[in-house]
Amino acid sequence: MNSSNNLLVNKSNPFIGTILIPGDKSISHRSVILGSLANGQLSVKNFLNSEDCLCTVSAMQQLGAKIVIDNTSLSIEGLGLTQLKEPTNTIDAGNSGTLMRLLTGVLAIQNFNSTITGDSSLINRPMKRIIDPLQACGANIISDNFKAPLNINGNINLKPINYKQEIASAQIKSCLMLASLFIDGTSYFYESVTTRDHTENMLEHFNYKITRSENISTIVGRQMLTAKDVIIGSDISSAAFFIVAALISKGSKITLPDININKYRLGIIHVLQKMGADIKIYNKRSESNELIGDIDVTSSNLSSITLDGNIISTLIDELPILFIACSVASGISKISGIEELRHKESDRIKSMEEGLKAVGINVSSKHDSIEIEGNEIHGGKINSFGDHRIAMSFAIAGLVSKKSITITNTKNICTSFPTFVDIMREQGAEIYEI
Ligand code: S3P
């Protein structure tokens, strides 16, 4: 586990062989929240044992669920929908927007009051997007300018939800879907851009009946979730760092087994293939109502890409590492419709633009777009602004950089990928904690 706050990465040898990626973060959060709301005992395998997901475990324990952690396995004794208990302390969501937004949907409709807060990054992220639709149904959430801490006065009589997507966000949809489980009546969810559907898939896995088409889902509240074991596929967002590493480091050839390949998460693969990447997905199978597959990646010459529109939500978390791929691709890449990046763990357009300029790449940005001119990466010192995905993206850039790349503020890698530095070392990367 990387406990140092700065990393230095030198040009390294190609990556070869099999790399085991930890469990999917989005599904790990949902397994703990929904598992705790199920009736009965269940186990979770390949759980992501990272800071973000451990915050979700603590939160559900505070609400009364019995959860035992054994490395990447969990055993959960679910409470059902009616037995959550009032937390004695403020719930700490740490760095996790997913936890704060999803759990607020549950807390808004309890017969008790609660407060949820987070770290210095999370308390600056927008929560109006969940507060407004919850309040439209009768929820009572008090905040300072729609930022955490959120003081939630529980109201068990929320009206059914009629959600019409304004921002393409699985967190908003999932927050409201979780609230709808407790609501008497039928709630409707309309998305013009369909976002990751892990919540819907897990509800069905727990035998909770919902109706679904590509754009509309309906949920009748107050049914039962039946406890069932969950096996989580490995996280494509974490895999993306090693996919790009193998593509840009000549002579690489890697295999990534058991990756979750949910179609609303596959944008990064489609885009890299369009840029000329040799990536193969095979051995596709279904596990716990999600699609899983193995991925082979061989180093490739990449060309620039122009991107915009619905595909953005299917690679939203992979944009920082995609920008690294664009930085070494031939030609100028232009990626638009990415304003949401300004609201992540850091302002990722700004963090990436500053970092890329510092290592010698020509970049320019507007409020919702970026242009990157592919070239040789020279090296230098960059600030990750405490954002895990920025830190890991520049660590991968260091593998092909002329001179070393030093990255400051890298502790947050532990929020999503605690084994990242270890895997880099196993692959022979010259990476040092300084
Ligand atoms: C997530 C949805 C995405 C993503 C985040 C995880 C989820 O956020 O960026 O890392 O688990 O639902 P938005 O819903 O805000 O796009």
Side-chain angles (χ1 to χ4, degrees), residues 5 11 15 28 39 59 84 92-93 137 161 192 201 209 213 232 250 252 330 335 338 366 382 387 397 405 412 418:
N5 211 19
K11 195 177 198 124
F15 284 7
S28 292
N39 285 82
L84 293 186
D92 182 6
C137 303
I161 293 161
S192 48
N201 292 343
K209 283 201 180 56
S213 64
I232 300 176
K250 289 216 168 11
S252 296
S330 61
I335 305 173
I338 55 172
K366 296 205 176 111
I382 72 110
D387 183 332
I405 294 186
N412 266 16

PDB file of all heavy atoms in Angstrom, residues 5 11 15 28 39 59 84 92-93 137 161 192 201 209 213 232 250 252 330 335 338 366 382 387 397 405 412 418:
ATOM      1  N   ASN A   5       3.511  10.431   0.293  1.00  0.00           N
ATOM      2  CA  ASN A   5       2.674  11.466  -0.307  1.00  0.00           C
ATOM      3  C   ASN A   5       3.147  11.893  -1.692  1.00  0.00           C
ATOM      4  O   ASN A   5       2.469  12.634  -2.367  1.00  0.00           O
ATOM      5  CB  ASN A   5       2.591  12.659   0.632  1.00  0.00           C
ATOM      6  CG  ASN A   5       1.268  13.358   0.482  1.00  0.00           C
ATOM      7  OD1 ASN A   5       0.311  12.769  -0.029  1.00  0.00           O
ATOM      8  ND2 ASN A   5       1.193  14.602   0.875  1.00  0.00           N
ATOM      9  N   LYS A  11      11.276   6.320 -16.772  1.00  0.00           N
ATOM     10  CA  LYS A  11      11.024   5.489 -17.960  1.00  0.00           C
ATOM     11  C   LYS A  11      11.313   4.028 -17.582  1.00  0.00           C
ATOM     12  O   LYS A  11      12.296   3.758 -16.903  1.00  0.00           O
ATOM     13  CB  LYS A  11      11.967   5.935 -19.079  1.00  0.00           C
ATOM     14  CG  LYS A  11      11.562   5.424 -20.414  1.00  0.00           C
ATOM     15  CD  LYS A  11      12.491   5.969 -21.493  1.00  0.00           C
ATOM     16  CE  LYS A  11      11.812   5.808 -22.818  1.00  0.00           C
ATOM     17  NZ  LYS A  11      11.684   7.034 -23.553  1.00  0.00           N
ATOM     18  N   PHE A  15       5.444  -3.739 -20.070  1.00  0.00           N
ATOM     19  CA  PHE A  15       4.671  -4.589 -19.156  1.00  0.00           C
ATOM     20  C   PHE A  15       4.308  -5.898 -19.867  1.00  0.00           C
ATOM     21  O   PHE A  15       3.809  -5.876 -20.987  1.00  0.00           O
ATOM     22  CB  PHE A  15       3.381  -3.876 -18.733  1.00  0.00           C
ATOM     23  CG  PHE A  15       3.577  -2.789 -17.696  1.00  0.00           C
ATOM     24  CD1 PHE A  15       4.847  -2.391 -17.308  1.00  0.00           C
ATOM     25  CD2 PHE A  15       2.478  -2.172 -17.100  1.00  0.00           C
ATOM     26  CE1 PHE A  15       5.028  -1.403 -16.346  1.00  0.00           C
ATOM     27  CE2 PHE A  15       2.651  -1.181 -16.144  1.00  0.00           C
ATOM     28  CZ  PHE A  15       3.923  -0.793 -15.773  1.00  0.00           C
ATOM     29  N   SER A  28     -18.840  -2.284  -5.497  1.00  0.00           N
ATOM     30  CA  SER A  28     -18.516  -2.539  -4.088  1.00  0.00           C
ATOM     31  C   SER A  28     -19.384  -1.678  -3.170  1.00  0.00           C
ATOM     32  O   SER A  28     -19.959  -2.171  -2.187  1.00  0.00           O
ATOM     33  CB  SER A  28     -17.031  -2.272  -3.824  1.00  0.00           C
ATOM     34  OG  SER A  28     -16.238  -3.233  -4.499  1.00  0.00           O
ATOM     35  N   ASN A  39     -32.820  -8.907   3.182  1.00  0.00           N
ATOM     36  CA  ASN A  39     -33.187  -9.763   4.301  1.00  0.00           C
ATOM     37  C   ASN A  39     -32.342 -11.016   4.249  1.00  0.00           C
ATOM     38  O   ASN A  39     -32.424 -11.775   3.277  1.00  0.00           O
ATOM     39  CB  ASN A  39     -34.672 -10.146   4.215  1.00  0.00           C
ATOM     40  CG  ASN A  39     -35.548  -8.980   4.612  1.00  0.00           C
ATOM     41  OD1 ASN A  39     -35.809  -8.092   3.805  1.00  0.00           O
ATOM     42  ND2 ASN A  39     -35.971  -8.951   5.865  1.00  0.00           N
ATOM     43  N   ALA A  59     -20.294   3.286   7.377  1.00  0.00           N
ATOM     44  CA  ALA A  59     -21.591   3.979   7.375  1.00  0.00           C
ATOM     45  C   ALA A  59     -22.729   2.996   7.622  1.00  0.00           C
ATOM     46  O   ALA A  59     -23.616   3.244   8.453  1.00  0.00           O
ATOM     47  CB  ALA A  59     -21.798   4.693   6.042  1.00  0.00           C
ATOM     48  N   LEU A  84     -33.252  -0.103   9.910  1.00  0.00           N
ATOM     49  CA  LEU A  84     -32.065   0.762  10.065  1.00  0.00           C
ATOM     50  C   LEU A  84     -32.190   1.531  11.370  1.00  0.00           C
ATOM     51  O   LEU A  84     -33.290   1.934  11.761  1.00  0.00           O
ATOM     52  CB  LEU A  84     -31.958   1.757   8.902  1.00  0.00           C
ATOM     53  CG  LEU A  84     -31.676   1.193   7.506  1.00  0.00           C
ATOM     54  CD1 LEU A  84     -31.467   2.337   6.514  1.00  0.00           C
ATOM     55  CD2 LEU A  84     -30.465   0.283   7.502  1.00  0.00           C
ATOM     56  N   ASP A  92     -19.237   9.722   8.088  1.00  0.00           N
ATOM     57  CA  ASP A  92     -18.107  10.294   7.353  1.00  0.00           C
ATOM     58  C   ASP A  92     -17.960   9.566   6.014  1.00  0.00           C
ATOM     59  O   ASP A  92     -17.589   8.398   5.983  1.00  0.00           O
ATOM     60  CB  ASP A  92     -16.828  10.142   8.194  1.00  0.00           C
ATOM     61  CG  ASP A  92     -15.634  10.772   7.505  1.00  0.00           C
ATOM     62  OD1 ASP A  92     -15.814  11.417   6.442  1.00  0.00           O
ATOM     63  OD2 ASP A  92     -14.517  10.604   8.022  1.00  0.00           O
ATOM     64  N   ALA A  93     -18.245  10.284   4.929  1.00  0.00           N
ATOM     65  CA  ALA A  93     -18.131   9.668   3.597  1.00  0.00           C
ATOM     66  C   ALA A  93     -16.723   9.804   3.030  1.00  0.00           C
ATOM     67  O   ALA A  93     -16.471   9.400   1.886  1.00  0.00           O
ATOM     68  CB  ALA A  93     -19.157  10.274   2.648  1.00  0.00           C
ATOM     69  N   CYS A 137     -39.787  15.666  -3.496  1.00  0.00           N
ATOM     70  CA  CYS A 137     -40.652  14.568  -3.028  1.00  0.00           C
ATOM     71  C   CYS A 137     -40.967  14.704  -1.548  1.00  0.00           C
ATOM     72  O   CYS A 137     -41.550  13.794  -0.947  1.00  0.00           O
ATOM     73  CB  CYS A 137     -39.989  13.222  -3.243  1.00  0.00           C
ATOM     74  SG  CYS A 137     -39.541  12.941  -4.906  1.00  0.00           S
ATOM     75  N   ILE A 161     -41.195   9.214  -6.865  1.00  0.00           N
ATOM     76  CA  ILE A 161     -40.243  10.046  -7.621  1.00  0.00           C
ATOM     77  C   ILE A 161     -40.581  10.017  -9.106  1.00  0.00           C
ATOM     78  O   ILE A 161     -40.942   8.970  -9.652  1.00  0.00           O
ATOM     79  CB  ILE A 161     -38.817   9.495  -7.379  1.00  0.00           C
ATOM     80  CG1 ILE A 161     -38.426   9.726  -5.918  1.00  0.00           C
ATOM     81  CG2 ILE A 161     -37.802  10.128  -8.320  1.00  0.00           C
ATOM     82  CD1 ILE A 161     -37.287   8.877  -5.432  1.00  0.00           C
ATOM     83  N   SER A 192     -32.185  10.419 -20.673  1.00  0.00           N
ATOM     84  CA  SER A 192     -31.972  10.536 -22.126  1.00  0.00           C
ATOM     85  C   SER A 192     -30.617   9.908 -22.485  1.00  0.00           C
ATOM     86  O   SER A 192     -30.459   9.336 -23.564  1.00  0.00           O
ATOM     87  CB  SER A 192     -32.053  11.984 -22.585  1.00  0.00           C
ATOM     88  OG  SER A 192     -31.286  12.795 -21.753  1.00  0.00           O
ATOM     89  N   ASN A 201     -29.022  -3.556 -11.757  1.00  0.00           N
ATOM     90  CA  ASN A 201     -28.592  -4.955 -11.870  1.00  0.00           C
ATOM     91  C   ASN A 201     -28.562  -5.635 -10.506  1.00  0.00           C
ATOM     92  O   ASN A 201     -28.951  -6.799 -10.364  1.00  0.00           O
ATOM     93  CB  ASN A 201     -27.187  -5.034 -12.497  1.00  0.00           C
ATOM     94  CG  ASN A 201     -27.200  -4.608 -13.954  1.00  0.00           C
ATOM     95  OD1 ASN A 201     -28.269  -4.555 -14.573  1.00  0.00           O
ATOM     96  ND2 ASN A 201     -26.046  -4.296 -14.503  1.00  0.00           N
ATOM     97  N   LYS A 209     -38.195  -6.732  -7.851  1.00  0.00           N
ATOM     98  CA  LYS A 209     -38.757  -6.582  -9.216  1.00  0.00           C
ATOM     99  C   LYS A 209     -38.768  -5.111  -9.638  1.00  0.00           C
ATOM    100  O   LYS A 209     -39.350  -4.270  -8.959  1.00  0.00           O
ATOM    101  CB  LYS A 209     -40.187  -7.131  -9.247  1.00  0.00           C
ATOM    102  CG  LYS A 209     -40.228  -8.619  -9.277  1.00  0.00           C
ATOM    103  CD  LYS A 209     -41.551  -9.165  -9.807  1.00  0.00           C
ATOM    104  CE  LYS A 209     -41.507 -10.680  -9.798  1.00  0.00           C
ATOM    105  NZ  LYS A 209     -41.186 -11.244  -8.452  1.00  0.00           N
ATOM    106  N   SER A 213     -36.406  -0.386 -19.466  1.00  0.00           N
ATOM    107  CA  SER A 213     -36.054  -0.371 -20.884  1.00  0.00           C
ATOM    108  C   SER A 213     -34.796   0.482 -20.954  1.00  0.00           C
ATOM    109  O   SER A 213     -34.286   0.910 -19.912  1.00  0.00           O
ATOM    110  CB  SER A 213     -37.194   0.216 -21.717  1.00  0.00           C
ATOM    111  OG  SER A 213     -37.377   1.558 -21.353  1.00  0.00           O
ATOM    112  N   ILE A 232     -17.960  -9.769  -7.350  1.00  0.00           N
ATOM    113  CA  ILE A 232     -17.763  -8.505  -8.068  1.00  0.00           C
ATOM    114  C   ILE A 232     -16.652  -8.654  -9.104  1.00  0.00           C
ATOM    115  O   ILE A 232     -15.575  -9.181  -8.801  1.00  0.00           O
ATOM    116  CB  ILE A 232     -17.404  -7.382  -7.065  1.00  0.00           C
ATOM    117  CG1 ILE A 232     -18.538  -7.214  -6.036  1.00  0.00           C
ATOM    118  CG2 ILE A 232     -17.137  -6.063  -7.786  1.00  0.00           C
ATOM    119  CD1 ILE A 232     -18.240  -6.184  -4.946  1.00  0.00           C
ATOM    120  N   LYS A 250       6.189   0.459 -25.622  1.00  0.00           N
ATOM    121  CA  LYS A 250       6.459  -0.473 -26.747  1.00  0.00           C
ATOM    122  C   LYS A 250       6.956  -1.837 -26.269  1.00  0.00           C
ATOM    123  O   LYS A 250       7.783  -1.910 -25.378  1.00  0.00           O
ATOM    124  CB  LYS A 250       7.506   0.130 -27.678  1.00  0.00           C
ATOM    125  CG  LYS A 250       6.957   1.286 -28.448  1.00  0.00           C
ATOM    126  CD  LYS A 250       7.501   1.378 -29.854  1.00  0.00           C
ATOM    127  CE  LYS A 250       6.728   2.364 -30.698  1.00  0.00           C
ATOM    128  NZ  LYS A 250       5.771   3.229 -30.014  1.00  0.00           N
ATOM    129  N   SER A 252       4.942  -4.163 -24.959  1.00  0.00           N
ATOM    130  CA  SER A 252       4.093  -4.684 -23.873  1.00  0.00           C
ATOM    131  C   SER A 252       3.030  -5.635 -24.411  1.00  0.00           C
ATOM    132  O   SER A 252       2.542  -5.475 -25.533  1.00  0.00           O
ATOM    133  CB  SER A 252       3.368  -3.539 -23.154  1.00  0.00           C
ATOM    134  OG  SER A 252       4.276  -2.682 -22.527  1.00  0.00           O
ATOM    135  N   SER A 330      -0.426  10.350 -32.266  1.00  0.00           N
ATOM    136  CA  SER A 330      -0.061  11.312 -33.321  1.00  0.00           C
ATOM    137  C   SER A 330      -1.266  12.199 -33.614  1.00  0.00           C
ATOM    138  O   SER A 330      -2.397  11.710 -33.726  1.00  0.00           O
ATOM    139  CB  SER A 330       0.362  10.563 -34.586  1.00  0.00           C
ATOM    140  OG  SER A 330      -0.718   9.787 -35.034  1.00  0.00           O
ATOM    141  N   ILE A 335     -11.611  16.787 -27.138  1.00  0.00           N
ATOM    142  CA  ILE A 335     -12.631  16.080 -26.352  1.00  0.00           C
ATOM    143  C   ILE A 335     -13.561  17.126 -25.744  1.00  0.00           C
ATOM    144  O   ILE A 335     -13.119  17.983 -24.979  1.00  0.00           O
ATOM    145  CB  ILE A 335     -11.961  15.194 -25.284  1.00  0.00           C
ATOM    146  CG1 ILE A 335     -10.968  14.260 -25.986  1.00  0.00           C
ATOM    147  CG2 ILE A 335     -12.997  14.397 -24.511  1.00  0.00           C
ATOM    148  CD1 ILE A 335     -10.117  13.446 -25.090  1.00  0.00           C
ATOM    149  N   ILE A 338     -17.356  17.746 -21.584  1.00  0.00           N
ATOM    150  CA  ILE A 338     -16.781  17.106 -20.390  1.00  0.00           C
ATOM    151  C   ILE A 338     -16.840  18.022 -19.158  1.00  0.00           C
ATOM    152  O   ILE A 338     -16.027  17.888 -18.244  1.00  0.00           O
ATOM    153  CB  ILE A 338     -15.319  16.651 -20.651  1.00  0.00           C
ATOM    154  CG1 ILE A 338     -14.445  17.819 -21.145  1.00  0.00           C
ATOM    155  CG2 ILE A 338     -15.300  15.511 -21.663  1.00  0.00           C
ATOM    156  CD1 ILE A 338     -12.959  17.476 -21.228  1.00  0.00           C
ATOM    157  N   LYS A 366     -11.351  24.781 -22.762  1.00  0.00           N
ATOM    158  CA  LYS A 366     -12.445  25.724 -22.545  1.00  0.00           C
ATOM    159  C   LYS A 366     -13.213  25.158 -21.354  1.00  0.00           C
ATOM    160  O   LYS A 366     -12.812  24.139 -20.789  1.00  0.00           O
ATOM    161  CB  LYS A 366     -13.335  25.785 -23.783  1.00  0.00           C
ATOM    162  CG  LYS A 366     -12.599  26.327 -24.998  1.00  0.00           C
ATOM    163  CD  LYS A 366     -13.569  26.945 -25.998  1.00  0.00           C
ATOM    164  CE  LYS A 366     -12.808  27.575 -27.147  1.00  0.00           C
ATOM    165  NZ  LYS A 366     -12.986  26.875 -28.399  1.00  0.00           N
ATOM    166  N   ILE A 382       4.532  17.450 -11.158  1.00  0.00           N
ATOM    167  CA  ILE A 382       3.116  17.830 -11.249  1.00  0.00           C
ATOM    168  C   ILE A 382       2.434  17.632  -9.894  1.00  0.00           C
ATOM    169  O   ILE A 382       2.846  16.811  -9.069  1.00  0.00           O
ATOM    170  CB  ILE A 382       2.357  17.046 -12.348  1.00  0.00           C
ATOM    171  CG1 ILE A 382       2.134  15.592 -11.957  1.00  0.00           C
ATOM    172  CG2 ILE A 382       3.049  17.099 -13.694  1.00  0.00           C
ATOM    173  CD1 ILE A 382       0.726  15.300 -11.664  1.00  0.00           C
ATOM    174  N   ASP A 387      -5.981  14.077  -6.039  1.00  0.00           N
ATOM    175  CA  ASP A 387      -6.987  13.335  -6.816  1.00  0.00           C
ATOM    176  C   ASP A 387      -6.352  12.043  -7.317  1.00  0.00           C
ATOM    177  O   ASP A 387      -5.409  12.055  -8.120  1.00  0.00           O
ATOM    178  CB  ASP A 387      -7.453  14.225  -7.982  1.00  0.00           C
ATOM    179  CG  ASP A 387      -8.549  13.576  -8.823  1.00  0.00           C
ATOM    180  OD1 ASP A 387      -8.597  12.330  -8.888  1.00  0.00           O
ATOM    181  OD2 ASP A 387      -9.343  14.325  -9.415  1.00  0.00           O
ATOM    182  N   ALA A 397       2.167   8.038 -17.232  1.00  0.00           N
ATOM    183  CA  ALA A 397       2.911   8.879 -18.183  1.00  0.00           C
ATOM    184  C   ALA A 397       4.416   8.763 -17.930  1.00  0.00           C
ATOM    185  O   ALA A 397       5.227   8.753 -18.872  1.00  0.00           O
ATOM    186  CB  ALA A 397       2.462  10.332 -18.060  1.00  0.00           C
ATOM    187  N   ILE A 405       9.019  11.753 -13.951  1.00  0.00           N
ATOM    188  CA  ILE A 405       7.878  12.575 -13.532  1.00  0.00           C
ATOM    189  C   ILE A 405       7.736  12.421 -12.019  1.00  0.00           C
ATOM    190  O   ILE A 405       7.686  11.296 -11.496  1.00  0.00           O
ATOM    191  CB  ILE A 405       6.574  12.162 -14.242  1.00  0.00           C
ATOM    192  CG1 ILE A 405       6.669  12.448 -15.751  1.00  0.00           C
ATOM    193  CG2 ILE A 405       5.369  12.891 -13.641  1.00  0.00           C
ATOM    194  CD1 ILE A 405       5.398  12.210 -16.543  1.00  0.00           C
ATOM    195  N   ASN A 412      -4.088   9.818  -1.988  1.00  0.00           N
ATOM    196  CA  ASN A 412      -5.463   9.448  -2.318  1.00  0.00           C
ATOM    197  C   ASN A 412      -5.592   8.275  -3.285  1.00  0.00           C
ATOM    198  O   ASN A 412      -6.704   7.803  -3.519  1.00  0.00           O
ATOM    199  CB  ASN A 412      -6.219  10.660  -2.884  1.00  0.00           C
ATOM    200  CG  ASN A 412      -6.956  11.371  -1.788  1.00  0.00           C
ATOM    201  OD1 ASN A 412      -6.677  11.143  -0.616  1.00  0.00           O
ATOM    202  ND2 ASN A 412      -7.897  12.212  -2.151  1.00  0.00           N
ATOM    203  N   PRO A 418      -5.586   0.691  -3.854  1.00  0.00           N
ATOM    204  CA  PRO A 418      -4.481   0.608  -2.893  1.00  0.00           C
ATOM    205  C   PRO A 418      -3.300  -0.231  -3.372  1.00  0.00           C
ATOM    206  O   PRO A 418      -2.191  -0.052  -2.868  1.00  0.00           O
ATOM    207  CB  PRO A 418      -5.117  -0.050  -1.657  1.00  0.00           C
ATOM    208  CG  PRO A 418      -6.570  -0.073  -1.889  1.00  0.00           C
ATOM    209  CD  PRO A 418      -6.845   0.158  -3.344  1.00  0.00           C
TER     210      PRO A 418
END
